[in-house]
Amino acid sequence: MITIACPGMSVCTCNEAYEYMFIVLLGSGATFFYNMISNILRALGDSRTPLYYLVFSSLLNIVLDILFIVPFKGGVAGAAWATVLSQLLASLLCAVSGVRRYEELRLSRRDFSGLRRVCIRELKIGFPMGF
């Protein structure tokens, strides 16, 4: 663990803040995925479903905070894991309900036809620019 010195804060507090931020940043993919899928649903005209899952995520975060901090004695790291897990679960549930409700979000083999040709063309353009 890295020891961080912050003016006016104890080393223990700084280390706990570092630990919390490290875990939350590890789980930032879940936040990104939730924001992406909720914006897709909003673009399709469904603004209620993302809101319901956001409220669910917030309530689940409260329950998991209590569970991870008190009985499991996880401390600040437990609170961070509770945040990440509740956001991940909300994003997965939002994605599943979106795929079930909107046929536009379902992938099929036909969606990938011609992809090879497009990828080769993009790589022919991109490689010379990158190297």
Side-chain angles (χ1 to χ4, degrees):
M1 171 159 312
I2 297 173
T3 303
I4 303 171
C6 301
M9 292 177 70
S10 69
V11 173
C12 182
T13 304
C14 285
N15 287 338
E16 287 178 347
Y18 174 82
E19 186 178 6
Y20 182 86
M21 288 307 299
F22 184 79
I23 293 169
V24 167
L25 287 174
L26 276 178
S28 63
T31 304
F32 175 79
F33 185 63
Y34 172 78
N35 288 332
M36 181 184 67
I37 207 71
S38 66
N39 285 327
I40 289 171
L41 290 177
R42 285 186 196 106
L44 292 171
D46 184 7
S47 61
R48 288 185 181 182
T49 302
L51 176 65
Y52 294 151
Y53 285 118
L54 183 62
V55 170
F56 169 75
S57 173
S58 299
L59 295 175
L60 180 64
N61 189 15
I62 292 168
V63 171
L64 290 178
D65 276 339
I66 294 168
L67 183 70
F68 286 179
I69 293 172
V70 178
F72 295 160
K73 303 201 184 318
V76 173
W81 282 114
T83 300
V84 169
L85 290 175
S86 62
Q87 191 72 43
L88 179 65
L89 186 61
S91 63
L92 291 174
L93 291 173
C94 201
V96 167
S97 70
V99 168
R100 283 185 179 171
R101 189 172 296 138
Y102 299 102
E103 192 167 329
E104 296 89 1
L105 298 179
R106 296 182 196 138
L107 293 176
S108 66
R109 185 176 288 270
R110 187 176 42 124
D111 294 329
F112 296 99
S113 65
L115 187 62
R116 182 182 187 129
R117 186 175 12 103
V118 171
C119 287
I120 290 172
R121 186 184 75 216
E122 295 296 324
L123 288 173
K124 282 182 181 178
I125 294 170
F127 265 106
M129 291 180 2
F131 296 106

